[in-house]
Amino acid sequence: MFETAAVYALISAILLALRDIFGRFAVRGIDPISGTAFTAIIGLPVLWTISAARGDFSDPWPGLGWPLLFIAIAGIFRVCFARTMLFAATQYIGSARTSTIVATNLIFAVFLGVVFLGEALTLTLGLGALLVFGGYIFIARSHPNHQGSEPPKNQYIGMGLALGCALAFGAAAVLVRPAVGFFTSANEANFYSNIFAVAAFLPFLFRKGKISEIKNWTPSNWGFLVLAGLSASLGVTFLYLALANAPVVYAFPISQSRPLFAIAISWTFLQSEERMNWCVVAGALAIFTGTVTLIFNG
């Protein structure tokens, strides 16, 4: 079971790394809140189609109890708060740095998992968390894209947004863990989670002037929004599958290896957009090492 969870979590890491990169281009020049809302809307038909094909909706659902409440709050944390802050942070410090700092959500998830779910805290787990934190320190010492052209204030704003995103992602993972098993499938749980996130976004989409603003989005914005929405929705479904098969302290850390995928993709295809330096690479390696250490704790 743990081996299956590891595969699901690794697939999630790859898809979420793509989400980070696509999201950067998707919200360029547009309101990150509106852009994030549409990535959630775009994901709904995909998630519904998968669950319908699996026959998930023919089975009884958990009803209006605490599992649905937990999934709803997790969706609002994960999509409304975390994804919006993630896409906004990429505008300040790039997708590779943002993805790496957001990987510190591992610390928040492990801490909350121990406190609220009673999962075991061991020396190995503590060492892994320290390595992840050390990776963040390396990233904090790096500089944003196009060194010298961005004021330090923008770097701190981007880092702050990325850390806020990490906290929201970590809290969402802990909420999902006890609730996902009450749904027919992890994909169905993700579908309902996204519905609540979209509902929370609606007041922002219908504010004065928003409709005319959305009409001015470019084909590039729409194309990357679709790619970001698809990769985010499927990536979270695989994360939910991993959490359904293993504890947070085992499954969640593997999904946080995504910074290495984000850095590899950025370095290969986006060198004009992402400037790598030894601090970024060292930080990503430290976070990855911490992740592997935590996996052995499982």
Side-chain angles (χ1 to χ4, degrees):
M1 181 178 291
F2 275 36
E3 292 79 3
T4 301
V7 173
Y8 288 147
L10 188 59
I11 295 173
S12 172
I14 297 171
L15 290 169
L16 294 179
L18 290 172
R19 174 207 61 192
D20 294 353
I21 294 171
F22 293 145
R24 179 185 183 184
F25 296 101
V27 300
R28 178 169 288 175
I30 68 175
D31 177 20
I33 296 177
S34 301
T36 305
F38 272 90
T39 64
I41 294 171
I42 288 164
L44 283 178
V46 177
L47 298 176
W48 182 90
T49 301
I50 294 173
S51 279
R54 286 173 44 88
D56 293 342
F57 301 124
S58 62
D59 294 328
W61 72 312
L64 302 176
W66 69 264
L68 184 64
L69 176 63
F70 278 25
I71 286 294
I73 297 174
I76 292 171
F77 277 11
R78 177 177 52 80
V79 181
C80 300
F81 297 153
R83 197 182 299 177
T84 298
M85 287 189 284
L86 184 148
F87 290 165
T90 62
Q91 305 306 298
Y92 290 98
I93 57 176
S95 55
R97 287 172 178 79
T98 297
S99 183
T100 304
I101 294 175
V102 168
T104 60
N105 59 19
L106 167 62
I107 295 175
F108 300 115
V110 167
F111 174 78
L112 294 172
V114 169
V115 172
F116 293 104
L117 301 181
E119 297 183 349
L121 177 63
T122 66
L123 179 63
T124 309
L125 189 151
L127 176 61
L130 284 175
L131 283 168
V132 172
F133 182 75
Y136 166 68
I137 296 299
F138 274 110
I139 300 300
R141 292 175 59 85
S142 70
H143 299 286
N145 309 356
H146 312 297
Q147 279 85 337
S149 64
E150 292 283 354
K153 178 182 177 181
N154 285 359
Q155 183 181 1
Y156 298 136
I157 291 173
M159 289 165 54
L161 287 167
L163 279 175
C165 170
L167 175 58
F169 272 140
V174 173
L175 286 166
V176 167
R177 169 62 182 163
V180 67
F182 286 86
F183 292 83
T184 305
S185 74
N187 190 79
E188 183 193 36
N190 191 20
F191 173 71
Y192 287 120
S193 183
N194 267 33
I195 286 178
F196 283 99
V198 169
F201 270 129
L202 289 180
F204 296 95
L205 292 178
F206 290 101
R207 286 184 298 171
K208 185 178 179 180
K210 277 297 173 185
I211 300 300
S212 59
E213 177 187 315
I214 291 170
K215 289 179 180 178
N216 292 326
W217 290 357
T218 66
S220 176
N221 289 134
W222 283 110
F224 281 113
L225 282 172
V226 170
L227 291 173
L230 293 176
S231 55
S233 298
L234 295 175
V236 172
T237 287
F238 277 101
L239 175 58
Y240 281 19
L241 282 167
L243 290 172
N245 286 279
V248 172
V249 295
Y250 178 82
F252 196 71
I254 304 175
S255 71
Q256 300 318 297
S257 61
R258 75 175 188 273
L260 290 189
F261 295 109
I263 286 176
I265 295 169
S266 297
W267 178 250
T268 304
F269 299 105
L270 304 172
Q271 290 191 37
S272 63
E273 297 284 342
E274 302 275 4
R275 302 284 182 86
M276 296 295 126
N277 59 41
W278 73 270
C279 284
V280 176
V281 176
L285 288 174
I287 291 174
F288 178 73
T289 303
T291 299
V292 172
T293 302
L294 284 159
I295 291 173
F296 280 112
N297 182 72

